[in-house]
Amino acid sequence: MCVLEKTPRSITVRLTNARWNRLMELETAYRVAMAVAKAKRECETAPSMSVAEAMDFIDSL
């Protein structure tokens, strides 16, 4: 990686295609991990449901 230009608002770098693709994979994985963590927190705070209540909720969607 080579820094071509650096300003107070942005940095321009030169990357190989392989490195760019790897960075994009890592960014996607990070977004998925954050969504999973958020869903886990929601599950932990959601009230418990019986099977019938859960089926009714699913049907209402």
Side-chain angles (χ1 to χ4, degrees), residues 10-59:
S10 65
I11 299 173
T12 304
V13 296
R14 183 185 313 265
L15 299 171
T16 64
N17 286 338
R19 191 151 190 180
W20 174 258
N21 291 336
R22 181 65 178 142
L23 284 172
M24 293 300 101
E25 288 175 9
L26 290 171
E27 185 175 338
T28 302
Y30 174 78
R31 288 181 181 161
V32 170
M34 294 305 291
V36 168
K38 180 181 176 185
K40 184 178 182 220
R41 284 191 305 271
E42 287 178 7
C43 287
E44 291 172 349
T45 60
S48 299
M49 292 186 190
S50 68
V51 174
E53 290 172 332
M55 294 301 287
D56 290 339
F57 180 75
I58 291 170
D59 290 338

